[in-house]
């Protein structure tokens, strides 16, 4: 007989999975820790298998829990969207966003997907370069930017340092001089990426240049070179090169959200909230993965 899953149990399950901690999940859900534990025991009984592995640093999903979490997130998200659509009036208008290309798939696709379901009448435009200049010129309503020096007064969405990344299949970081892929534009690469190699006395040669993050990712995954990539965007079958490899962080970037002070309206408010939520979910997923 198939179990009838309770959406309230699934919501608590998602909270535990994303926080990696029963106490934090209880605070998030507005319940006691014992109530959360009882809920998860009930869900495990319904599923017929353990969903969490308990450890000194919290809990991690078991294989069965990993199979359930994707659908559980979809169900909870759909319930939230449905509830929001019943109470929120449809919005219209235009929202102009600037965001680094690195976050096109991981962040913006999630934010746009959630926003479009709730507000299908809003027109959205996106640009992936010159966000700071475009925002200052009044060409953007919202801009997500990397900041690695000082603090501009924007809202920090996450800490996401740039690191050297190599393919686990090709080990190009072991070659000397080490082949590197860089952005074709000057500035950041000279000031940070190359400087990080020089500080560590690493001989290098530029093997590939590209004007997009996708190009750098391709260079790494194909085994052509190592490349500077933000930690949250390391592709599959690749890894960060750490101090143990003779490398280290390139910068200490913060991802910061800026809003045009002249940009007002519920549509822009809604998009700002969607972007914040997408980054929050990314942070939670990283925290869970690090347990």
């Amino acid at each position: 007989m198939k179990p009838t899953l309770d959406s309230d149990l699934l919501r608590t399950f998602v909270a535990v999975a994303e926080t990696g901690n029963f106490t934090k999940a209880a605070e998030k859900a507005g319940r006691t820790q014992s109530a959360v534990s009882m809920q998860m025991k009930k869900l495990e009984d319904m599923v017929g298998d353990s969903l969490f592995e308990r450890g000194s640093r919290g809990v991690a999903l078991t294989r069965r829990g990993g199979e359930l979490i994707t659908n559980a997130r979809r169900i909870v998200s759909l319930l939230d969207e449905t509830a929001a659509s019943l109470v929120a009036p449809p919005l219209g208008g235009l929202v102009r966003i600037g965001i680094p290309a690195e976050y096109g798939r991981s962040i913006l696709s999630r934010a746009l997907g959630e926003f479009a379901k709730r507000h299908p009448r809003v027109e959205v435009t996106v640009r992936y370069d010159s966000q700071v200049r475009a925002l200052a010129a009044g060409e953007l309503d919202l801009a997500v930017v990397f900041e690695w020096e000082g603090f501009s007064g924007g809202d920090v969405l996450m800490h996401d340092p740039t690191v050297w990344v190599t393919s686990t299949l090709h080990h190009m970081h072991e070659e000397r001089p080490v082949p590197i892929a860089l952005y074709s534009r000057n500035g950041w690469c000279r000031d940070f990426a190359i400087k990080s190699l020089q500080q560590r006395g690493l001989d290098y040669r530029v093997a590939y240049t590209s004007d997009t993050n996708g190009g750098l990712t391709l260079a790494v995954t194909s085994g052509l070179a190592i490349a500077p990539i933000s930690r949250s965007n390391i592709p599959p079958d690749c890894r960060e090169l750490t101090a143990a490899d003779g490398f280290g962080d390139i910068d200490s970037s913060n991802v910061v959200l800026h809003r045009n002070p002249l940009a007002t309206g519920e549509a822009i408010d809604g998009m700002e909230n969607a972007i914040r939520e997408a980054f929050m979910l990314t942070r939670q997923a990283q925290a869970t993965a690090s347990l």
Side-chain angles (χ1 to χ4, degrees), residues 124-148:
V124 180
T125 64
V126 180
R127 65 183 299 168
Y128 295 106
D129 62 348
S130 305
Q131 294 96 333
V132 175
R133 179 177 55 79
L135 185 71
E139 299 169 359
L140 293 175
D141 302 308
L142 300 167
V144 176
V145 300
F146 282 119
E147 292 184 358
W148 50 84

Side-chain angles (χ1 to χ4, degrees), residues 69-84:
I69 189 63
T70 300
N71 285 332
R73 284 192 175 115
R74 289 170 56 192
I75 292 169
V76 170
S77 177
L78 182 59
L79 288 172
D80 289 343
E81 291 166 14
T82 302

Side-chain angles (χ1 to χ4, degrees), residues 133-262:
R133 179 177 55 79
L135 185 71
E139 299 169 359
L140 293 175
D141 302 308
L142 300 167
V144 176
V145 300
F146 282 119
E147 292 184 358
W148 50 84
E149 287 185 317
F151 181 66
S152 65
D155 295 329
V156 177
L157 298 172
M158 69 183 297
H159 179 63
D160 199 11
T162 306
V163 297
W164 286 105
V165 174
T166 188
S167 166
T168 57
L169 303 176
H170 300 98
H171 310 288
M172 299 306 292
H173 63 286
E174 296 176 356
E175 292 193 6
R176 291 296 180 272
V178 60
I180 64 173
L182 296 175
Y183 286 109
S184 53
R185 56 186 181 272
N186 289 325
W188 178 85
C189 281
R190 295 291 174 186
D191 294 341
F192 290 89
I194 290 179
K195 185 178 179 180
S196 73
L197 299 178
Q198 294 172 336
Q199 288 176 333
R200 293 172 174 84
L202 291 169
D203 291 332
Y204 67 89
R205 63 179 179 85
V206 178
Y208 182 92
T209 60
S210 173
D211 60 353
T212 68
N213 173 259
L216 299 191
T217 299
L218 177 62
V220 175
T221 56
S222 64
L224 182 62
I226 67 171
I229 297 175
S230 56
R231 182 173 286 155
S232 70
N233 284 284
I234 296 176
D237 295 323
C238 296
R239 71 174 180 87
E240 173 184 346
L241 291 168
T242 66
D245 301 298
F247 292 79
D249 291 2
I250 295 174
D251 62 29
S252 56
S253 295
N254 284 323
V255 184
V256 182
L257 175 65
H258 294 271
R259 178 165 175 167
N260 186 332
L262 301 179

